Amino acid sequence: MCSVNPGHCTLIKFIFLLLIIIHLSLNTAESVWPLPQIFIPSPERYQLKPQSFSFGYRRYLDTKHSCSVLDAAFKRYFSILFPGYSYANLITFSVFTLTISLDRHDCEGYPNQDSSERYKLSVFAGQASLNAETVWGSLRGLETFSQLVYQDDLGSYYINKTEIEDYPQFNYRGILLDTSRHYLPVQAILKTLDAMAYSKFNVFHWHLVDDPSFPYQSHKFPDLSNKGAFHPVTHVYTQSDVRRVISYARMRGIRVLPEFDSPGHTKSWGKGQSELLTPCYRGATPSGTFGPVNPTLPSTYQFMLSLLKEVASVFPDPYIHLGGDEVDFSCWRSNPYIRAFMHKMGFGLDFSKLEAFYIEKIVNITSILRKTSIVWQDVFDYHERRRFLSVVEVWKQGCYLCEVRRVVKAGLRVILASPWYLDQPGPTHNWARYYNVWPLAFKGTEKQKSLVIGGEVCMWGEYVDATNLSPRLWPRASAAAERLWSNERQTSCVERAFPRLQEFRCKLLRRGIQAEPLYVGHCKHEYQTV
């Protein structure tokens, strides 16, 4: 066709190229991840300049009652909006202001399961307004605002006229990090918390200890880490480290949920706490090896009360994860004293009843400490006495929605993790596998479905340390983030989500997060080692 009329062909090419540029410009302005519930963009745009952009307070927030969470967020997001610029002492006069208003002043507390993250964002000429019920909702709105700002090819910053009303589909949107199988430096954890905030995750599930190592440094039981950590000095989390992580997470609206998994997964515990684990027998004599926590001794529960009391004082979140998964009964079965205890209790040879006996006592301890317990689904699956349970985390493969349905029919709350195990190596393009998950696609009443409080991405540590943590997580975890935040009907199409996720991945790179590529292509600002 071009050979017939080269001039006409050149004009067509020019128009086509112009349309592509306009299309890309609009996509840049509209590429928010996760997708807001109500999102009304406009082609009308306004230029932003770092020298004349400011954040402001309105309603319940003034110079006498400022908000430390927001003050810190203003500094962070100014550097994200305008890389290379610092918020302090830069503004000479304000031409564009983002004004924050809160329905209630809750800046001094911690986010919790019931915290509202709802916000409303309006962008128009010369200003933008962000209203939220809580400071945690304002943080989500600030993240959305930061993603609306883009640069043209000349380096000028713009934002389009926009109306957004937003809130999460699920209140619990977590990421689990395993710091026992490989120790993760505190800085790697903090970097993950940054990336979590960018994707609007709100729970850091800290699987602190397990069979391989006990890196949590306890004040009451220092030998747990002195003898159970990979190294008692370099591979531990001090009380100062833990406080730093909790504070860093709080400033980003993220809860820190500690997990101390027992009675299984406790080999490292026994190195620093004698008589805690069950001696295994070979015939009539001890074999010299040890199994799960010994549930027959009063000293076991005295120890657990003291340890969990310390944990409850260190971690402010009202929830604690007690584990309870994958308990190997073979050692209990081999021990004559365990068998005698079971006979006395009328358990027969059903060792799941012994585990239930132990878990119920530990749950009661957490209740005394005014903490709500979370357990893995094994506790629900194998135990008849379920009334003492509160929240069950579903992690096994197979028909996981069948399991979700069974749990909610029992009147218990559910966290879904089964479809979001990201620790195994896999190509980044399988992100759609984590996107096409429908947590409520089971037969049940609205009341039962309301018991599904959210989901969690799990990053177990067998093959993961600080060298590959970020690229293994991102951007695949972001696919789960949108599923847990956004409206299912508006985010059911992988093809429509792909360009937004590509753009979001580029944003992660510019913010210093090593996110794997989704496919062939490039980002305007490639990852720079920091």
Side-chain angles (χ1 to χ4, degrees):
M1 181 179 70
C2 289
S3 60
V4 176
N5 192 338
H8 181 64
C9 182
T10 301
L11 179 60
I12 291 176
K13 286 182 177 181
F14 174 79
I15 294 174
F16 181 70
L17 182 60
L18 184 61
L19 289 173
I20 290 177
I21 292 172
I22 294 172
H23 176 69
L24 288 175
S25 175
L26 286 175
N27 276 353
T28 303
E30 299 174 15
S31 58
V32 177
W33 193 280
L35 187 70
Q37 301 286 341
I38 300 175
F39 185 18
I40 307 174
S42 166
E44 183 178 343
R45 68 178 189 174
Y46 317 112
Q47 187 173 5
L48 304 181
K49 295 182 179 181
Q51 296 85 354
S52 57
F53 176 88
S54 65
F55 297 99
Y57 287 126
R58 184 174 60 214
R59 194 184 306 173
Y60 300 135
L61 297 171
D62 53 33
T63 55
K64 294 182 180 180
H65 300 92
S66 62
C67 176
S68 60
V69 174
L70 284 178
D71 288 341
F74 293 162
K75 293 179 181 179
R76 286 199 313 276
Y77 277 104
F78 192 88
S79 296
I80 288 173
L81 293 172
F82 309 110
Y85 290 91
S86 174
Y87 188 54
N89 302 321
L90 177 65
I91 302 168
T92 55
F93 62 95
S94 180
V95 173
F96 194 103
T97 301
L98 171 58
T99 304
I100 311 289
S101 62
L102 303 180
D103 291 345
R104 60 178 181 267
H105 190 286
D106 56 350
C107 293
E108 305 309 316
Y110 289 85
N112 60 58
Q113 178 61 32
D114 299 319
S115 295
S116 170
E117 296 172 283
R118 181 184 293 268
Y119 67 90
K120 182 177 180 181
L121 176 63
S122 299
V123 180
F124 38 92
Q127 59 183 310
S129 64
L130 172 58
N131 173 256
E133 295 178 4
T134 69
V135 66
W136 319 118
S138 69
L139 291 177
R140 307 299 172 235
L142 281 171
E143 174 56 36
T144 296
F145 182 86
S146 74
Q147 294 187 32
L148 292 173
V149 176
Y150 59 97
Q151 278 183 288
D152 65 10
D153 290 337
L154 300 177
S156 297
Y157 295 94
Y158 290 93
I159 189 168
N160 286 46
K161 182 179 180 181
T162 309
E163 289 285 343
I164 289 175
E165 291 187 33
D166 203 11
Y167 53 87
Q169 191 76 10
F170 296 97
N171 286 345
Y172 186 107
R173 306 178 307 283
I175 284 187
L176 177 151
L177 294 185
D178 171 10
T179 58
S180 173
R181 292 173 174 84
H182 279 98
Y183 178 83
L184 294 175
V186 171
Q187 195 58 43
I189 295 175
L190 301 184
K191 179 68 74 173
T192 302
L193 290 170
D194 282 332
M196 288 174 62
Y198 302 151
S199 290
K200 296 188 173 73
F201 282 105
N202 68 345
V203 181
F204 168 37
H205 177 170
W206 196 350
H207 188 86
L208 266 161
V209 299
D210 208 296
D211 282 332
S213 74
F214 197 107
Y216 171 74
Q217 194 175 76
S218 167
H219 272 325
K220 292 183 180 179
F221 304 100
D223 277 350
L224 287 172
S225 59
N226 286 341
K227 298 180 179 180
F230 288 134
H231 190 281
V233 177
T234 61
H235 286 61
V236 295
Y237 300 106
T238 66
Q239 298 285 307
S240 177
D241 291 333
V242 172
R243 286 194 299 269
R244 184 183 178 195
V245 169
I246 292 171
S247 175
Y248 198 91
R250 171 182 171 270
M251 299 302 279
R252 287 150 183 80
I254 297 173
R255 300 162 52 198
V256 179
L257 170 70
E259 180 181 355
F260 286 79
D261 189 358
S262 69
H265 293 282
T266 49
K267 288 182 180 178
S268 67
W269 301 40
K271 297 176 182 179
Q273 186 66 23
S274 62
E275 299 184 356
L276 177 65
L277 303 185
T278 303
C280 305
Y281 276 66
R282 185 179 293 111
T285 59
S287 65
T289 60
F290 295 87
V293 167
N294 190 333
T296 69
L297 301 178
S299 60
T300 291
Y301 302 102
Q302 293 167 4
F303 164 77
M304 291 300 294
L305 173 60
S306 296
L307 177 63
L308 292 176
K309 187 176 181 180
E310 175 185 317
V311 170
S313 68
V314 171
F315 291 88
D317 198 83
Y319 286 72
I320 184 171
H321 205 301
L322 299 177
D325 64 315
E326 298 181 316
V327 180
D328 184 354
F329 295 151
S330 59
C331 184
W332 283 350
R333 190 178 292 112
S334 74
N335 187 301
Y337 299 99
I338 298 289
R339 295 198 303 270
F341 179 84
M342 291 185 62
H343 178 74
K344 176 184 174 182
M345 298 297 295
F347 294 161
L349 296 176
D350 188 350
F351 288 89
S352 66
K353 291 183 178 179
L354 181 61
E355 183 189 3
F357 171 82
Y358 170 83
I359 290 290
E360 188 166 350
K361 281 185 170 294
I362 302 304
V363 169
N364 287 339
I365 288 173
T366 60
S367 297
I368 292 172
L369 298 173
R370 297 186 176 182
K371 296 285 187 179
T372 301
S373 59
I374 302 174
V375 296
W376 294 109
Q377 74 176 77
D378 312 49
V379 177
F380 175 86
D381 289 342
Y382 301 131
H383 307 134
E384 297 176 359
R385 291 164 56 88
R386 296 167 175 169
R387 65 179 183 273
F388 65 92
L389 301 178
S390 298
V391 184
V392 175
E393 184 160 7
V394 174
W395 68 275
K396 295 183 179 181
Q397 301 302 305
C399 184
Y400 54 79
L401 289 183
C402 300
E403 178 77 1
V404 169
R405 186 185 181 199
R406 284 192 290 269
V407 175
V408 298
K409 285 184 71 174
L412 301 175
R413 287 170 288 169
V414 173
I415 298 167
L416 178 61
S418 302
W420 292 309
Y421 269 48
L422 267 61
D423 52 295
Q424 296 298 321
T428 312
H429 63 256
N430 71 358
W431 67 273
R433 165 186 171 186
Y434 308 109
Y435 193 75
N436 287 330
V437 175
W438 317 106
L440 301 181
F442 61 90
K443 291 183 179 179
T445 65
E446 288 302 312
K447 183 178 180 180
Q448 289 171 344
K449 293 188 176 186
S450 70
L451 293 173
V452 181
I453 62 174
E456 185 164 88
V457 170
C458 293
M459 184 57 70
W460 297 102
E462 285 89 347
Y463 307 101
V464 176
D465 65 6
T467 65
N468 63 346
L469 172 63
S470 286
R472 188 69 60 87
L473 263 178
W474 313 106
R476 292 186 298 166
S478 301
E482 179 152 291
R483 179 56 55 239
L484 294 169
W485 179 279
S486 305
N487 184 296
E488 286 187 355
R489 294 180 180 178
Q490 297 177 16
T491 55
S492 60
C493 179
V494 170
E495 289 75 18
R496 291 179 63 184
F498 178 71
R500 282 191 302 109
L501 186 56
Q502 270 193 317
E503 179 63 25
F504 181 67
R505 184 245 171 190
C506 289
K507 289 185 172 77
L508 291 178
L509 293 186
R510 193 174 193 189
R511 298 180 186 193
I513 305 299
Q514 290 175 286
E516 285 186 336
L518 292 164
Y519 193 57
V520 176
H522 78 288
C523 292
K524 183 176 181 180
H525 302 279
E526 298 289 359
Y527 176 78
Q528 300 292 325
T529 303
V530 292

